[in-house]
PDB file of all heavy atoms in Angstrom:
ATOM      1  N   GLU A 386     -13.820   1.310   8.392  1.00 98.00           N
ATOM      2  CA  GLU A 386     -12.563   1.400   7.638  1.00 98.00           C
ATOM      3  C   GLU A 386     -12.074   2.830   7.463  1.00 98.00           C
ATOM      4  O   GLU A 386     -10.868   3.085   7.542  1.00 98.00           O
ATOM      5  CB  GLU A 386     -12.713   0.714   6.279  1.00 98.00           C
ATOM      6  CG  GLU A 386     -12.578  -0.797   6.332  1.00 98.00           C
ATOM      7  CD  GLU A 386     -12.318  -1.388   4.961  1.00 98.00           C
ATOM      8  OE1 GLU A 386     -11.391  -0.909   4.255  1.00 98.00           O
ATOM      9  OE2 GLU A 386     -13.042  -2.329   4.585  1.00 98.00           O
ATOM     10  N   PRO A 387     -12.957   3.808   7.186  1.00 98.00           N
ATOM     11  CA  PRO A 387     -12.449   5.178   7.030  1.00 98.00           C
ATOM     12  C   PRO A 387     -11.690   5.679   8.246  1.00 98.00           C
ATOM     13  O   PRO A 387     -10.703   6.407   8.110  1.00 98.00           O
ATOM     14  CB  PRO A 387     -13.727   5.993   6.792  1.00 98.00           C
ATOM     15  CG  PRO A 387     -14.665   5.028   6.164  1.00 98.00           C
ATOM     16  CD  PRO A 387     -14.392   3.728   6.866  1.00 98.00           C
ATOM     17  N   GLN A 388     -12.143   5.292   9.456  1.00 98.00           N
ATOM     18  CA  GLN A 388     -11.440   5.705  10.674  1.00 98.00           C
ATOM     19  C   GLN A 388     -10.141   4.917  10.838  1.00 98.00           C
ATOM     20  O   GLN A 388      -9.109   5.477  11.215  1.00 98.00           O
ATOM     21  CB  GLN A 388     -12.338   5.497  11.898  1.00 98.00           C
ATOM     22  CG  GLN A 388     -13.456   6.522  12.029  1.00 98.00           C
ATOM     23  CD  GLN A 388     -14.549   6.370  10.978  1.00 98.00           C
ATOM     24  OE1 GLN A 388     -14.980   5.252  10.686  1.00 98.00           O
ATOM     25  NE2 GLN A 388     -14.990   7.471  10.405  1.00 98.00           N
ATOM     26  N   GLN A 389     -10.170   3.629  10.536  1.00 98.00           N
ATOM     27  CA  GLN A 389      -8.972   2.803  10.644  1.00 98.00           C
ATOM     28  C   GLN A 389      -7.881   3.279   9.688  1.00 98.00           C
ATOM     29  O   GLN A 389      -6.697   3.291  10.024  1.00 98.00           O
ATOM     30  CB  GLN A 389      -9.325   1.343  10.371  1.00 98.00           C
ATOM     31  CG  GLN A 389     -10.272   0.728  11.393  1.00 98.00           C
ATOM     32  CD  GLN A 389     -10.911  -0.551  10.894  1.00 98.00           C
ATOM     33  OE1 GLN A 389     -10.451  -1.155   9.930  1.00 98.00           O
ATOM     34  NE2 GLN A 389     -11.984  -0.981  11.563  1.00 98.00           N
ATOM     35  N   LEU A 390      -8.304   3.697   8.499  1.00 98.00           N
ATOM     36  CA  LEU A 390      -7.355   4.157   7.476  1.00 98.00           C
ATOM     37  C   LEU A 390      -7.024   5.636   7.609  1.00 98.00           C
ATOM     38  O   LEU A 390      -6.172   6.139   6.877  1.00 98.00           O
ATOM     39  CB  LEU A 390      -7.921   3.881   6.081  1.00 98.00           C
ATOM     40  CG  LEU A 390      -8.144   2.412   5.716  1.00 98.00           C
ATOM     41  CD1 LEU A 390      -8.889   2.299   4.390  1.00 98.00           C
ATOM     42  CD2 LEU A 390      -6.803   1.672   5.627  1.00 98.00           C
ATOM     43  N   GLN A 391      -7.716   6.330   8.515  1.00 97.00           N
ATOM     44  CA  GLN A 391      -7.528   7.765   8.732  1.00 97.00           C
ATOM     45  C   GLN A 391      -7.661   8.543   7.419  1.00 97.00           C
ATOM     46  O   GLN A 391      -6.814   9.374   7.063  1.00 97.00           O
ATOM     47  CB  GLN A 391      -6.170   8.036   9.393  1.00 97.00           C
ATOM     48  CG  GLN A 391      -6.036   7.398  10.770  1.00 97.00           C
ATOM     49  CD  GLN A 391      -4.714   7.705  11.448  1.00 97.00           C
ATOM     50  OE1 GLN A 391      -3.693   7.915  10.804  1.00 97.00           O
ATOM     51  NE2 GLN A 391      -4.726   7.743  12.775  1.00 97.00           N
ATOM     52  N   LEU A 392      -8.745   8.274   6.716  1.00 98.00           N
ATOM     53  CA  LEU A 392      -8.987   8.949   5.444  1.00 98.00           C
ATOM     54  C   LEU A 392      -9.255  10.439   5.677  1.00 98.00           C
ATOM     55  O   LEU A 392      -9.832  10.830   6.696  1.00 98.00           O
ATOM     56  CB  LEU A 392     -10.171   8.302   4.735  1.00 98.00           C
ATOM     57  CG  LEU A 392     -10.012   6.814   4.389  1.00 98.00           C
ATOM     58  CD1 LEU A 392     -11.265   6.299   3.691  1.00 98.00           C
ATOM     59  CD2 LEU A 392      -8.779   6.588   3.513  1.00 98.00           C
ATOM     60  N   PRO A 393      -8.843  11.289   4.757  1.00 98.00           N
ATOM     61  CA  PRO A 393      -8.958  12.743   4.967  1.00 98.00           C
ATOM     62  C   PRO A 393     -10.366  13.238   5.254  1.00 98.00           C
ATOM     63  O   PRO A 393     -10.546  14.172   6.039  1.00 98.00           O
ATOM     64  CB  PRO A 393      -8.430  13.329   3.647  1.00 98.00           C
ATOM     65  CG  PRO A 393      -7.541  12.281   3.091  1.00 98.00           C
ATOM     66  CD  PRO A 393      -8.131  10.964   3.500  1.00 98.00           C
ATOM     67  N   SER A 394     -11.373  12.629   4.619  1.00 98.00           N
ATOM     68  CA  SER A 394     -12.748  13.099   4.802  1.00 98.00           C
ATOM     69  C   SER A 394     -13.486  12.394   5.931  1.00 98.00           C
ATOM     70  O   SER A 394     -14.634  12.730   6.226  1.00 98.00           O
ATOM     71  CB  SER A 394     -13.545  12.925   3.501  1.00 98.00           C
ATOM     72  OG  SER A 394     -12.984  13.697   2.462  1.00 98.00           O
ATOM     73  N   ALA A 395     -12.850  11.421   6.571  1.00 98.00           N
ATOM     74  CA  ALA A 395     -13.527  10.637   7.600  1.00 98.00           C
ATOM     75  C   ALA A 395     -13.672  11.417   8.899  1.00 98.00           C
ATOM     76  O   ALA A 395     -12.717  12.049   9.353  1.00 98.00           O
ATOM     77  CB  ALA A 395     -12.760   9.346   7.863  1.00 98.00           C
ATOM     78  N   PRO A 396     -14.847  11.369   9.520  1.00 98.00           N
ATOM     79  CA  PRO A 396     -14.971  11.952  10.859  1.00 98.00           C
ATOM     80  C   PRO A 396     -14.183  11.114  11.857  1.00 98.00           C
ATOM     81  O   PRO A 396     -14.044   9.902  11.687  1.00 98.00           O
ATOM     82  CB  PRO A 396     -16.470  11.874  11.134  1.00 98.00           C
ATOM     83  CG  PRO A 396     -16.939  10.706  10.328  1.00 98.00           C
ATOM     84  CD  PRO A 396     -16.091  10.721   9.081  1.00 98.00           C
ATOM     85  N   PHE A 397     -13.673  11.752  12.884  1.00 98.00           N
ATOM     86  CA  PHE A 397     -12.947  11.012  13.908  1.00 98.00           C
ATOM     87  C   PHE A 397     -13.869  10.006  14.590  1.00 98.00           C
ATOM     88  O   PHE A 397     -13.498   8.865  14.842  1.00 98.00           O
ATOM     89  CB  PHE A 397     -12.373  11.978  14.946  1.00 98.00           C
ATOM     90  CG  PHE A 397     -11.640  11.301  16.068  1.00 98.00           C
ATOM     91  CD1 PHE A 397     -10.367  10.782  15.876  1.00 98.00           C
ATOM     92  CD2 PHE A 397     -12.234  11.168  17.319  1.00 98.00           C
ATOM     93  CE1 PHE A 397      -9.690  10.138  16.910  1.00 98.00           C
ATOM     94  CE2 PHE A 397     -11.562  10.537  18.365  1.00 98.00           C
ATOM     95  CZ  PHE A 397     -10.289  10.021  18.152  1.00 98.00           C
ATOM     96  N   GLN A 398     -15.095  10.432  14.862  1.00 98.00           N
ATOM     97  CA  GLN A 398     -16.107   9.568  15.475  1.00 98.00           C
ATOM     98  C   GLN A 398     -17.379   9.693  14.652  1.00 98.00           C
ATOM     99  O   GLN A 398     -18.014  10.741  14.628  1.00 98.00           O
ATOM    100  CB  GLN A 398     -16.360   9.994  16.932  1.00 98.00           C
ATOM    101  CG  GLN A 398     -17.329   9.110  17.689  1.00 98.00           C
ATOM    102  CD  GLN A 398     -17.491   9.544  19.133  1.00 98.00           C
ATOM    103  OE1 GLN A 398     -16.626  10.211  19.696  1.00 98.00           O
ATOM    104  NE2 GLN A 398     -18.600   9.161  19.746  1.00 98.00           N
ATOM    105  N   PRO A 399     -17.808   8.630  13.964  1.00 98.00           N
ATOM    106  CA  PRO A 399     -18.957   8.743  13.047  1.00 98.00           C
ATOM    107  C   PRO A 399     -20.281   9.063  13.725  1.00 98.00           C
ATOM    108  O   PRO A 399     -21.113   9.763  13.162  1.00 98.00           O
ATOM    109  CB  PRO A 399     -19.016   7.364  12.379  1.00 98.00           C
ATOM    110  CG  PRO A 399     -17.705   6.721  12.639  1.00 98.00           C
ATOM    111  CD  PRO A 399     -17.192   7.293  13.912  1.00 98.00           C
ATOM    112  N   LEU A 400     -20.492   8.535  14.951  1.00 98.00           N
ATOM    113  CA  LEU A 400     -21.756   8.709  15.650  1.00 98.00           C
ATOM    114  C   LEU A 400     -21.521   9.367  17.007  1.00 98.00           C
ATOM    115  O   LEU A 400     -20.651   8.942  17.761  1.00 98.00           O
ATOM    116  CB  LEU A 400     -22.449   7.357  15.855  1.00 98.00           C
ATOM    117  CG  LEU A 400     -22.702   6.520  14.599  1.00 98.00           C
ATOM    118  CD1 LEU A 400     -23.289   5.162  14.973  1.00 98.00           C
ATOM    119  CD2 LEU A 400     -23.631   7.246  13.636  1.00 98.00           C
ATOM    120  N   HIS A 401     -22.299  10.393  17.293  1.00 98.00           N
ATOM    121  CA  HIS A 401     -22.193  11.103  18.577  1.00 98.00           C
ATOM    122  C   HIS A 401     -23.553  11.050  19.269  1.00 98.00           C
ATOM    123  O   HIS A 401     -24.548  11.532  18.717  1.00 98.00           O
ATOM    124  CB  HIS A 401     -21.793  12.563  18.362  1.00 98.00           C
ATOM    125  CG  HIS A 401     -20.412  12.748  17.847  1.00 98.00           C
ATOM    126  ND1 HIS A 401     -19.372  13.198  18.639  1.00 98.00           N
ATOM    127  CD2 HIS A 401     -19.879  12.548  16.609  1.00 98.00           C
ATOM    128  CE1 HIS A 401     -18.268  13.257  17.913  1.00 98.00           C
ATOM    129  NE2 HIS A 401     -18.545  12.877  16.685  1.00 98.00           N
ATOM    130  N   PHE A 402     -23.590  10.494  20.465  1.00 98.00           N
ATOM    131  CA  PHE A 402     -24.841  10.440  21.227  1.00 98.00           C
ATOM    132  C   PHE A 402     -24.870  11.556  22.266  1.00 98.00           C
ATOM    133  O   PHE A 402     -23.883  11.802  22.960  1.00 98.00           O
ATOM    134  CB  PHE A 402     -25.010   9.098  21.932  1.00 98.00           C
ATOM    135  CG  PHE A 402     -26.285   9.024  22.720  1.00 98.00           C
ATOM    136  CD1 PHE A 402     -27.483   8.784  22.086  1.00 98.00           C
ATOM    137  CD2 PHE A 402     -26.283   9.258  24.089  1.00 98.00           C
ATOM    138  CE1 PHE A 402     -28.678   8.767  22.797  1.00 98.00           C
ATOM    139  CE2 PHE A 402     -27.463   9.246  24.814  1.00 98.00           C
ATOM    140  CZ  PHE A 402     -28.661   8.986  24.161  1.00 98.00           C
ATOM    141  N   PHE A 403     -26.021  12.225  22.356  1.00 98.00           N
ATOM    142  CA  PHE A 403     -26.202  13.321  23.308  1.00 98.00           C
ATOM    143  C   PHE A 403     -27.329  12.987  24.286  1.00 98.00           C
ATOM    144  O   PHE A 403     -28.405  12.548  23.879  1.00 98.00           O
ATOM    145  CB  PHE A 403     -26.564  14.615  22.569  1.00 98.00           C
ATOM    146  CG  PHE A 403     -25.462  15.155  21.708  1.00 98.00           C
ATOM    147  CD1 PHE A 403     -25.422  14.857  20.353  1.00 98.00           C
ATOM    148  CD2 PHE A 403     -24.456  15.955  22.237  1.00 98.00           C
ATOM    149  CE1 PHE A 403     -24.403  15.350  19.550  1.00 98.00           C
ATOM    150  CE2 PHE A 403     -23.437  16.448  21.449  1.00 98.00           C
ATOM    151  CZ  PHE A 403     -23.406  16.142  20.098  1.00 98.00           C
ATOM    152  N   GLU A 404     -27.076  13.231  25.564  1.00 98.00           N
ATOM    153  CA  GLU A 404     -28.099  13.031  26.593  1.00 98.00           C
ATOM    154  C   GLU A 404     -28.984  14.265  26.767  1.00 98.00           C
ATOM    155  O   GLU A 404     -30.073  14.174  27.341  1.00 98.00           O
ATOM    156  CB  GLU A 404     -27.445  12.683  27.938  1.00 98.00           C
ATOM    157  CG  GLU A 404     -26.862  11.280  28.011  1.00 98.00           C
ATOM    158  CD  GLU A 404     -27.930  10.202  28.172  1.00 98.00           C
ATOM    159  OE1 GLU A 404     -29.139  10.520  28.082  1.00 98.00           O
ATOM    160  OE2 GLU A 404     -27.552   9.034  28.371  1.00 98.00           O
ATOM    161  N   GLU A 405     -28.529  15.427  26.292  1.00 98.00           N
ATOM    162  CA  GLU A 405     -29.328  16.638  26.444  1.00 98.00           C
ATOM    163  C   GLU A 405     -30.697  16.437  25.795  1.00 98.00           C
ATOM    164  O   GLU A 405     -30.790  16.002  24.638  1.00 98.00           O
ATOM    165  CB  GLU A 405     -28.626  17.835  25.804  1.00 98.00           C
ATOM    166  CG  GLU A 405     -27.404  18.312  26.550  1.00 98.00           C
ATOM    167  CD  GLU A 405     -26.142  17.550  26.208  1.00 98.00           C
ATOM    168  OE1 GLU A 405     -26.241  16.469  25.572  1.00 98.00           O
ATOM    169  OE2 GLU A 405     -25.061  18.018  26.590  1.00 98.00           O
ATOM    170  N   PRO A 406     -31.778  16.764  26.482  1.00 97.00           N
ATOM    171  CA  PRO A 406     -33.120  16.426  25.988  1.00 97.00           C
ATOM    172  C   PRO A 406     -33.540  17.153  24.720  1.00 97.00           C
ATOM    173  O   PRO A 406     -34.455  16.697  24.033  1.00 97.00           O
ATOM    174  CB  PRO A 406     -34.040  16.800  27.166  1.00 97.00           C
ATOM    175  CG  PRO A 406     -33.266  17.802  27.956  1.00 97.00           C
ATOM    176  CD  PRO A 406     -31.825  17.402  27.819  1.00 97.00           C
ATOM    177  N   THR A 407     -32.898  18.260  24.386  1.00 98.00           N
ATOM    178  CA  THR A 407     -33.294  19.010  23.185  1.00 98.00           C
ATOM    179  C   THR A 407     -32.351  18.789  22.001  1.00 98.00           C
ATOM    180  O   THR A 407     -32.449  19.486  20.991  1.00 98.00           O
ATOM    181  CB  THR A 407     -33.362  20.507  23.489  1.00 98.00           C
ATOM    182  OG1 THR A 407     -32.081  20.954  23.944  1.00 98.00           O
ATOM    183  CG2 THR A 407     -34.414  20.797  24.547  1.00 98.00           C
TER     184      THR A 407
END
Side-chain angles (χ1 to χ4, degrees):
E386 280 197 51
Q388 286 70 43
Q389 296 163 16
L390 297 172
Q391 298 182 331
L392 299 180
S394 298
F397 178 76
Q398 184 178 338
L400 304 175
H401 292 255
F402 180 79
F403 293 96
E404 287 284 8
E405 289 84 347
T407 59

